[in-house]
Amino acid sequence: MRDLQVSVGVWYLGATSDRFVKEGYQPDRTMEERFKLAGSIEGVGGLEMHYPTEVTDGTYKDLKKLADDLGLAIVQFCPLLWVDRRWQFGQFSNPDPKLRREAIDLAKRTTDIAAHMEALIMVYWPAQDGFDYPFQADHRQRLDDLVEGLAEWADYAAKAAPQTKVVVEYKAFEPRTHIMLPTIGHCMTVINELNRPNLGINIDVGHALIMKENLAESIALCCRYGKLFHTHWNDNWKMFDDDVIVGTVNLWETLEALFWLDEWGYDDWYGLDLFPYREPPEKAVEESIRNLKFGLELLDRVPRDELRECFETSDAIKISQLMRRMLGGS
């Protein structure tokens, strides 16, 4: 069985707060402690982080050295645009041109530092690009501005950090009731329109699930055009972005996604985007890695040719039998 490249987000390796317990349920850690904790977890080979909060102008050089010393790649390094109230009504799509420019400039500054960090991807999550009420947004203009901002950032990154790709991560809601580019289809429409070689998509398992997407189908649409540049793994109950341990709720969807990533030849990173409020974060990471690897073991319990045969016959009885065999049944 092939090994997986697994990265973890430093944002959940300390205290993770909710709107009821602001200080979080776990002891907090410094950023150096979070890096070292990640380095101590078996199977973790990369880090994901944000600028300018988790990594700052004053700390990025030291943190890069620490990551190198720990043998950890910087996988994701992205601008943290959604926690600053300046952009409460939009990031690249903000109706105020001054605030739009400030958001794009922050993305460019992030790119400059990403070049030093040797980051592989930068994520644009349009978290505040959206609306909460009818008639609140000029959808025509907002989409124009968002697309133009993405194009400008991708073109800048192609020169300033050619080793770093820009990826769009879609999500339907939270923090806005409606976020722009909520599905894989919305994203692919924009990505294909822009047609930049360094601009692609990050599929977040939980974000796809809350829109009732079939992960395998979303992967197929993205891979068809060669635009799946990263994946984020977690799980939820299909109502909210719970970010619980991988494979604990939607086992079959997770297995099918793993199967099709292998079929498409995906060999990039499996980023763990978790939010373990009450669980020790290192344990949530360990369990997620075990579940990903166990998922591949389950798939290996049945011949791939038998699975592929079902694609031709649509035989639901045979599919049920194969699924039972994966779990050790007869």
Side-chain angles (χ1 to χ4, degrees):
M1 183 183 69
R2 64 187 179 84
D3 201 12
L4 299 177
Q5 296 186 104
V6 177
S7 54
V8 298
V10 299
W11 54 89
Y12 58 80
L13 296 182
T16 49
S17 63
D18 61 23
R19 65 193 183 98
F20 299 101
V21 182
K22 300 296 186 183
E23 70 272 19
Y25 297 88
Q26 301 288 329
D28 205 5
R29 294 181 174 90
T30 67
M31 203 50 57
E32 290 80 5
E33 290 171 336
R34 297 183 191 204
F35 274 48
K36 291 176 181 177
L37 178 62
S40 71
I41 304 172
E42 185 177 355
V44 172
L47 296 169
E48 305 194 7
M49 63 201 69
H50 304 90
Y51 170 85
T53 50
E54 295 151 2
V55 179
T56 69
D57 288 301
T59 63
Y60 74 88
K61 292 181 180 179
D62 289 339
L63 289 175
K64 168 59 174 168
K65 183 179 184 306
L66 177 58
D68 289 344
D69 291 343
L70 293 168
L72 297 173
I74 306 298
V75 176
Q76 173 189 292
F77 190 80
C78 67
L80 192 58
L81 291 162
W82 50 91
V83 299
D84 190 321
R85 62 185 178 188
R86 279 183 295 170
W87 297 303
Q88 62 183 300
F89 295 123
Q91 300 157 197
F92 285 5
S93 75
N94 198 292
D96 184 334
K98 177 177 179 292
L99 293 175
R100 271 201 316 277
R101 175 48 49 197
E102 289 176 0
I104 294 170
D105 287 346
L106 177 59
K108 290 181 176 180
R109 174 57 181 160
T110 303
T111 305
D112 296 336
I113 300 176
H116 175 85
M117 302 294 277
E118 299 178 288
L120 301 179
I121 65 164
M122 296 178 291
V123 172
Y124 186 80
W125 176 36
Q128 302 289 1
D129 294 308
F131 61 96
D132 306 306
Y133 295 91
F135 301 105
Q136 192 177 30
D138 180 341
H139 300 286
R140 176 173 51 192
Q141 187 61 52
R142 291 285 186 94
L143 187 57
D144 284 347
D145 291 337
L146 177 58
V147 171
E148 289 174 10
L150 286 172
E152 182 176 341
W153 185 23
D155 290 343
Y156 181 86
K159 297 177 181 179
Q163 83 289 350
T164 308
K165 295 177 179 177
V166 175
V167 300
V168 178
E169 180 174 324
Y170 62 94
K171 184 180 180 182
F173 57 87
E174 194 215 11
R176 307 304 297 269
T177 65
H178 296 75
I179 296 175
M180 296 175 68
L181 309 183
T183 70
I184 185 65
H186 288 79
C187 275
M188 284 308 309
T189 299
V190 168
I191 295 299
N192 283 343
E193 174 191 333
L194 289 173
N195 194 28
R196 301 309 201 266
N198 66 331
L199 182 62
I201 288 178
N202 172 42
I203 292 182
D204 182 292
V205 167
H207 296 180
L209 289 174
I210 62 174
M211 283 304 280
K212 310 300 189 291
E213 289 184 6
N214 176 272
L215 288 166
E217 184 180 21
S218 299
I219 289 166
L221 181 61
C222 200
C223 289
R224 174 182 175 86
Y225 299 101
K227 290 298 184 180
L228 184 59
F229 292 170
H230 193 51
T231 56
H232 269 168
W233 294 81
N234 46 58
D235 211 336
N236 63 45
W237 292 88
K238 296 186 177 177
M239 296 182 291
F240 191 77
D241 190 27
D242 303 310
D243 283 339
V244 298
I245 294 168
V246 175
T248 53
V249 182
N250 298 283
L251 174 63
W252 294 116
E253 290 92 335
T254 301
L255 291 182
E256 191 183 21
L258 288 170
F259 173 86
W260 278 105
L261 285 174
D262 190 49
E263 287 287 294
W264 280 103
Y266 178 82
D267 60 359
D268 285 308
W269 290 79
Y270 291 69
L272 298 181
D273 188 359
L274 309 171
F275 225 79
Y277 293 103
R278 296 166 181 82
E279 298 76 33
E282 67 275 17
K283 297 300 181 183
V285 169
E286 289 171 355
E287 286 302 305
S288 292
I289 294 173
R290 290 192 184 107
N291 285 352
L292 284 170
K293 292 183 176 182
F294 183 56
L296 294 174
E297 290 177 16
L298 293 180
L299 290 170
D300 286 342
R301 291 181 180 180
V302 299
R304 292 296 173 94
D305 288 345
E306 290 191 46
L307 278 173
R308 295 189 187 99
E309 181 183 339
C310 293
F311 306 153
E312 303 297 327
T313 64
S314 299
D315 187 341
I317 303 303
K318 178 67 172 179
I319 294 168
S320 175
Q321 293 169 351
L322 293 177
M323 292 166 74
R324 189 164 57 249
R325 282 167 58 187
M326 289 182 196
L327 297 182
S330 59

